[in-house]
């Protein structure tokens, strides 16, 4: 902090923007005011896009934006605009495409230079304060850009036109449509096999990201076909990740990615969406392989999310945990010196912990070589052999050491928790919790997920007064927001319009909640949100969904006028395939062919190109699986609410993992038309077995239902047969 005078970011809501309110830069938020000032003064715009969890964003803030000398250059020659990529991913995605076109790389912080009307003409990511890292100093860049804008304005305008075209081209899928085919699943699977690291698991080389969507696709394909090659990819990847430093061995939960190919040294920030999707991976891998190790990792992810990323009072999941607490820090909260380990433990505990977690005098962290990242180096059996202690004693010592080390870590300054509650990310967490609760029998996780969804629906799903009068046939239109609550309780709340990802993820969460509770209210919410998603984002001419609505007045700042249809998973599941999955699931429950038709048009819009994206099109591959496979729906009807046989039937139905399977559990008194969606309401209420005192299950597929089943093992066989699961 270099000044006591607050800049305009003091009025911002986002934690990332508010963290810069004390900087001497005359920052603006994204908006008409900033671009009007740039046009009035004929100055280029300096655009900084970052996030509160981003280590190098903090570094650049402290090295450059806190520097009065840098601020003087910026304030004289530029209009400075700061954007939070979590709050405005629609802005970030478009300028990332522009900067990637000019520099060959993207990422955060994103540093872009724009014409006064917001068209990018130059950019990069992190710029150091002095020449280094193969990059020119930020001061030199600023002065060069300012000079070029004044002296070579024609070249700048021409470059801006070229980059605007590059952004439009990168988001255009015109002429790339094609038929929907299982061949795309084969292509994605082959891409994963080609990129697979057989030694360490995962895909590609350093840095290594987990890629949860492709893992889920491979797990489902393995569960269906029992291909040992796929099993090896899944097991090797999930085991290496969970035993690596990319996993928090003390608190649970995954860091964002690994900087090395062994999964040892992570980038230490933790994101709710990474953990939600990896939670699904470990639950589904447990279903597919029966490995208790995967079930335990799933429970451990929930333990961390419950403790650190959950609003226990109101419901809801927080966005992220930061990596560090200062510019000189690099994961110090999470890492250990040998002396720190010995100070926290008894001699015997320290010996065992050092062997297990590979804690030595020299660790892995370059900024402080004494610091060790905890990862599983030696198994309990190996340590028992080396110490002449029995395995049970080793396990007890490790359990004790882990508790004491975590307690000691809690005494350290804790990296910042961004308590912003984002709608789409929350919905992903809700779906993951409900999936884990169903498979692993976790009632507390189920309860918290439903509370969180209730908060989303109460606070972020609201009437759109601007639209309600647009159509006399429509009593009232509704809209979804992007943010439920901001991290800083003193910040003004902004109503940021929901994006495609918010609508699709929330519709899916509502369907998951319906399947978890058999409460038709959740189905009705899914139906309404799905319809609103179609109204606001669907392209009736070319198919597919745009990521954001056009500006109501037809005026879009900068390159926001470029319409974008997200296909690639980065870093979350892509909006278009998520939307298609939501529509297909709505079709299965309603029988309304309009949902299937729009899902088909969406998948066809990318059908000619999706396979070329390999593992980055994995959610598209999952959507194609939903489209090609008939829905398998199991309705378990319990004689009463606490009937054990009904529980056994539901457990049998849930044993196999498949994307196209759903399970509902109702009591006989609930199994009437008012509590079932249209496709099931025509059949289930008419079954004579409803009048009996025995629990049973009905399996439906292709809008036709089989005779009731009373035996759990027979039901499991019937489900496997309907899913065409290899045995």
């Amino acid at each position: 902090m270099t000044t006591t005078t607050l800049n305009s970011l003091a009025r911002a809501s986002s934690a990332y923007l508010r963290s810069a309110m004390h900087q001497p830069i005359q920052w603006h938020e994204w908006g008409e005011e900033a671009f009007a000032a740039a046009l009035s003064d004929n100055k280029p715009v300096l655009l900084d896009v970052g996030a509160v969890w981003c280590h190098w964003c903090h570094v650049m803030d402290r090295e450059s934006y806190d520097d009065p000398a840098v601020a003087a250059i910026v304030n004289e020659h530029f209009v400075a605009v700061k954007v939070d990529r979590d709050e405005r991913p629609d802005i970030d995605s478009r300028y990332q495409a522009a900067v990637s076109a000019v520099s060959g790389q993207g990422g955060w912080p994103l540093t872009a230079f724009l014409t006064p009307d917001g068209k990018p003409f130059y950019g990069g990511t992190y710029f150091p304060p002095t020449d280094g890292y193969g990059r020119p100093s930020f001061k030199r860049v600023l002065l060069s850009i300012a000079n070029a804008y004044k002296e070579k304005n024609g070249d700048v305008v021409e470059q801006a036109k070229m980059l605007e075209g590059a952004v439009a081209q990168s988001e255009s899928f015109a002429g790339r449509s094609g038929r929907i085919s299982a061949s795309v699943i084969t292509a994605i699977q082959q891409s994963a096999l080609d990129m697979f690291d057989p030694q360490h698991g995962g895909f590609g080389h350093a840095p290594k990201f987990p890629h949860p969507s492709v893992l889920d696709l491979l797990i489902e394909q393995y569960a269906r076909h029992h291909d040992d090659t796929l099993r090896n990819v899944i097991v090797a990847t999930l085991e290496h990740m969970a035993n690596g430093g990319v996993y928090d061995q003390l608190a649970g939960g995954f860091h964002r990615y690994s900087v090395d190919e062994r999964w040892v040294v992570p980038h230490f920030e933790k994101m709710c969406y990474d953990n939600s999707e990896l939670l699904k991976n470990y639950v589904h891998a447990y279903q597919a392989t029966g490995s208790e190790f995967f079930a335990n990792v799933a429970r451990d992810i929930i333990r961390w999310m419950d403790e650190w990323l959950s609003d226990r009072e109101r419901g809801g999941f927080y966005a992220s945990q930061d990596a560090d607490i200062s510019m000189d820090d690099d994961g110090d909260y999470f890492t250990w010196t040998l002396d720190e380990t010995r100070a926290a433990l008894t001699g015997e505990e320290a010996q065992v912990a050092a062997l297990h977690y590979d804690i030595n005098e020299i660790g892995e962290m370059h900024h402080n070589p004494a610091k060790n990242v905890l990862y599983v180096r030696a198994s309990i059996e190996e340590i028992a052999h080396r110490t002449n202690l029995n395995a049970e004693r080793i396990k007890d010592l490790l359990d004790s050491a882990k508790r004491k080390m975590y307690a000691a870590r809690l005494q350290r300054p804790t990296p910042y928790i961004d308590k912003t509650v984002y709608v789409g990310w929350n919905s992903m967490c809700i779906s993951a919790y409900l999936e884990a609760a169903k498979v692993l029998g976790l009632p507390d996780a189920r309860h918290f997920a439903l509370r969180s969804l209730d908060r989303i629906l109460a606070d972020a799903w609201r009437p759109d007064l601007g639209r309600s009068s647009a159509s006399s046939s429509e009593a009232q239109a509704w809209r979804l927001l992007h943010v439920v609550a901001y991290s800083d309780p003193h910040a003004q709340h902004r109503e940021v319009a929901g994006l495609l990802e918010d609508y699709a993820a929330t519709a899916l969460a509502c369907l998951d909640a319906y399947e978890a509770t058999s409460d038709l209210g959740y189905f009705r919410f899914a139906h309404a949100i799905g319809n609103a998603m179609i109204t606001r984002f669907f392209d009736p001419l070319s198919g597919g969904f745009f990521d954001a609505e056009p500006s109501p007045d037809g005026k879009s700042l900068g390159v926001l006028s470029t319409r974008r249809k997200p296909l690639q998973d980065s870093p979350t599941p892509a909006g278009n395939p998520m939307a298609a999955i939501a529509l297909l699931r709505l079709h299965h429950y309603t029988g309304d062919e309009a949902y299937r038709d729009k899902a088909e048009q969406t998948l066809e819009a990318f059908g000619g190109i999706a396979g070329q994206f390999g593992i980055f099109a994995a959610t598209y591959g999952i959507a194609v699986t939903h489209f090609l496979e008939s829905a398998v729906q199991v309705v378990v009807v319990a004689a009463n609410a606490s009937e054990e046989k009904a529980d056994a039937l539901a457990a049998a139905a849930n044993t196999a993992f498949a994307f196209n399977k759903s399970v509902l559990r109702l009591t006989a008194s609930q199994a009437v038309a008012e509590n079932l969606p249209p496709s099931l309401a025509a059949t289930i209420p008419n079954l004579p077995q409803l009048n009996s005192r025995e629990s049973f299950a009905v399996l439906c597929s292709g809008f036709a239902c089989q005779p009731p089943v009373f035996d759990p093992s027979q039901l499991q066989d019937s489900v496997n047969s309907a899913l065409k699961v290899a045995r």
Side-chain angles (χ1 to χ4, degrees):
M1 297 182 184
T2 57
T3 176
T4 56
T5 303
L6 300 182
N7 59 45
S8 67
L9 296 186
R11 299 190 295 272
S13 301
S14 132
Y16 176 62
L17 301 188
R18 290 178 66 80
S19 70
M21 70 169 74
H22 295 88
Q23 291 174 353
I25 306 281
Q26 294 170 8
W27 287 113
H28 296 258
E29 291 188 73
W30 178 275
E32 291 184 4
E33 179 187 355
F35 291 100
L39 285 168
S40 173
D41 297 342
N42 191 25
K43 288 182 178 180
V45 172
L46 165 63
L47 175 66
D48 171 86
V49 183
V52 70
W53 46 263
C54 166
H55 172 77
W56 287 102
C57 299
H58 296 320
V59 171
M60 192 160 173
D61 271 342
R62 290 157 189 165
E63 287 178 343
S64 294
Y65 294 134
D66 279 351
D67 183 349
V70 171
I73 297 171
V74 172
N75 293 338
E76 179 180 355
H77 298 289
F78 298 89
V79 171
V81 175
K82 206 171 188 72
V83 169
D84 181 342
R85 65 87 43 212
D86 294 344
E87 184 183 40
R88 293 298 305 269
D90 53 332
I91 297 172
D92 174 64
S93 62
R94 287 160 174 79
Y95 286 100
Q96 288 284 352
V99 170
S100 294
V102 74
S103 69
Q105 65 176 20
W108 303 284
L110 188 76
T111 308
F113 296 94
L114 323 178
T115 59
D117 58 353
K119 304 299 191 293
F121 62 89
Y122 184 71
T125 53
Y126 165 78
F127 289 99
T130 57
D131 293 351
Y133 300 95
R135 293 177 169 91
S137 72
F138 194 44
K139 289 179 186 175
R140 189 146 66 90
V141 169
L142 290 170
L143 292 170
S144 296
I145 293 293
N147 183 67
Y149 184 78
K150 292 175 183 175
E151 303 296 330
K152 301 178 180 179
N153 193 261
D155 293 344
V156 166
V157 171
E158 194 62 33
Q159 175 78 351
K161 287 180 181 177
M162 186 189 76
L163 285 183
E164 186 179 16
V167 173
Q169 182 64 29
S170 73
E171 304 299 346
S172 173
F173 292 93
R176 299 178 180 181
S177 61
R179 296 188 62 182
I180 305 167
S181 167
S183 63
V184 74
I185 300 171
T186 304
I188 295 166
Q189 180 174 304
Q190 189 58 51
S191 172
L193 294 175
D194 291 342
M195 295 177 68
F196 175 61
D197 177 351
Q199 185 175 358
H200 306 295
F203 309 101
H205 305 289
K208 261 188 180 168
F209 290 82
H211 300 292
S213 291
V214 79
L215 283 170
D216 240 21
L217 182 61
L218 297 179
I219 293 167
E220 207 260 2
Q221 289 294 300
Y222 168 70
R224 194 178 294 277
H225 303 297
H226 285 199
D227 181 330
D228 286 341
T229 300
L230 293 181
R231 180 187 174 92
N232 178 52
V233 172
I234 296 158
V235 171
T237 299
L238 294 178
E239 285 185 350
H240 277 89
M241 284 169 46
N243 285 325
V246 76
Y247 188 69
D248 186 339
Q249 299 296 331
L250 298 183
F254 282 90
H255 301 289
R256 197 162 70 94
Y257 67 91
S258 174
V259 301
D260 64 280
E261 60 188 21
R262 297 187 300 136
W263 302 106
V264 172
V265 180
H267 239 242
F268 288 94
E269 62 270 14
K270 290 178 168 182
M271 313 301 298
C272 70
Y273 57 74
D274 286 328
N275 283 279
S276 73
E277 301 314 282
L278 285 164
L279 174 56
K280 293 177 190 174
N281 287 162
Y282 282 91
V283 169
H284 294 157
Y286 166 69
Q287 286 179 281
T289 68
S291 169
E292 281 295 331
F293 175 78
F294 295 148
N296 289 334
V297 174
R299 295 185 189 100
D300 215 32
I301 293 171
I302 290 175
R303 174 174 70 96
W304 174 72
M305 293 181 75
D306 280 352
E307 183 174 0
W308 291 98
L309 287 196
S310 298
D311 185 335
R312 307 312 294 179
E313 180 182 349
R314 293 172 292 178
F317 294 88
Y318 301 142
S320 62
Q321 182 177 26
D322 208 342
D324 39 49
I325 60 169
S326 74
M327 190 171 70
D328 300 321
D329 176 12
D330 189 359
D332 286 356
Y333 174 78
F334 300 99
T335 54
W336 291 78
T337 67
L338 188 57
D339 286 343
E340 288 171 338
T341 306
R342 288 169 174 164
L345 306 177
T346 67
E348 203 173 22
E349 289 167 343
Q351 179 192 20
V352 169
L355 289 170
H356 186 61
Y357 292 125
D358 196 32
I359 306 172
N360 298 295
E361 292 285 356
I362 303 298
E364 294 81 17
M365 303 306 297
H366 294 298
H367 79 294
N368 182 355
K371 279 284 193 175
N372 292 261
V373 179
L374 303 188
Y375 70 100
V376 177
R377 175 66 181 270
S379 68
I380 289 174
E381 292 74 23
E382 183 181 344
I383 298 170
H385 177 72
R386 292 175 64 176
T387 60
N388 292 320
L389 297 172
N390 65 55
E392 194 61 36
R393 176 62 177 159
I394 298 297
K395 184 179 184 304
D396 289 343
L397 287 168
L398 279 176
D399 288 344
S400 175
K402 187 173 178 178
R403 286 193 301 271
K404 289 182 179 180
M405 291 175 76
Y406 188 40
R409 196 175 88 175
L410 291 174
Q411 303 306 309
R412 301 173 179 176
T414 305
Y416 178 74
I417 301 288
D418 180 7
K419 295 184 177 181
T420 306
V421 178
Y422 291 105
V423 169
W425 295 357
N426 263 254
S427 293
M428 291 163 62
C429 293
I430 290 160
S431 290
Y433 262 49
L434 291 174
E435 188 77 352
K438 174 181 69 179
V439 174
L440 302 177
L442 305 173
D444 289 345
R446 176 183 180 275
H447 178 69
F448 186 76
L450 295 173
R451 282 185 61 215
S452 299
L453 181 56
D454 290 345
R455 182 182 179 188
I456 296 290
L457 296 173
D459 294 350
W461 178 241
R462 54 182 59 185
D464 186 349
L465 301 179
R467 273 182 176 259
S468 61
S469 60
S471 171
S472 58
S473 62
E474 198 173 8
Q476 193 167 53
W478 288 69
R479 66 188 177 118
L480 200 58
L481 300 180
H482 179 59
V483 182
V484 174
Y486 283 95
S487 189
D488 188 340
H490 304 295
Q492 174 187 346
H493 181 75
R494 303 287 178 87
E495 290 201 351
V496 181
L499 302 168
L500 172 63
E501 179 181 296
D502 298 306
Y503 283 76
T506 306
L508 289 169
C510 289
L511 290 171
D512 293 333
Y514 172 60
E515 291 170 8
T517 64
S518 300
D519 180 343
L520 199 63
Y522 288 120
F523 170 77
R524 293 192 180 108
F525 275 115
H527 191 263
I529 292 168
N531 288 343
M533 179 177 73
I534 293 169
T535 299
R536 294 173 181 277
F537 304 102
F538 186 69
D539 179 357
L541 298 177
S542 303
F545 289 82
F546 297 113
D547 69 327
E549 294 184 78
S551 176
D553 58 7
K555 299 177 182 177
S556 298
L557 296 174
V559 292
L560 288 185
S561 57
T562 300
R563 305 305 304 277
R564 177 173 178 264
K565 294 180 181 177
L567 168 65
Q568 295 187 71
D569 301 327
S570 179
T572 53
N576 266 280
M578 276 208 301
I581 293 167
L583 296 184
L584 290 166
R585 289 178 63 182
L586 284 169
H587 168 250
H588 297 154
Y589 279 128
T590 64
D592 186 343
E593 289 296 327
Y595 288 130
R596 180 178 170 84
D597 289 345
K598 288 179 174 59
E600 184 173 15
Q601 292 174 55
T602 298
L603 296 177
E604 284 181 341
F606 311 102
I609 191 96
Q612 298 177 25
F613 289 93
I615 65 172
F616 298 99
T619 306
Y620 180 90
I622 293 171
V624 168
T625 304
H626 277 274
F627 181 81
L628 295 177
E629 299 289 343
S630 296
V632 174
Q633 299 165 314
V634 180
V635 181
V636 176
V637 181
N640 57 68
S642 59
E643 220 282 314
E644 291 183 3
K645 184 177 178 182
D647 293 340
L649 287 165
N654 282 320
T655 299
F657 167 53
F659 294 134
N660 59 317
K661 185 194 68 176
S662 61
V663 180
L664 294 172
R665 186 189 188 280
L666 305 94
T667 60
S669 60
Q670 285 180 303
V672 293
E674 299 88 65
N675 293 291
L676 290 165
S679 67
L680 296 172
T683 304
I684 304 299
N686 300 318
L687 293 171
Q689 288 80 4
L690 285 174
N691 299 318
S692 72
R693 296 185 178 181
E694 188 174 3
S695 297
F696 63 92
V698 178
L699 188 152
C700 304
S701 182
F703 299 101
C705 297
Q706 300 177 13
V709 177
F710 296 86
D711 178 65
S713 62
Q714 182 185 346
L715 176 61
Q716 188 169 339
D717 287 342
S718 297
V719 170
N720 286 340
S721 178
L723 294 173
K724 304 180 182 69
V725 171
R727 282 169 287 175

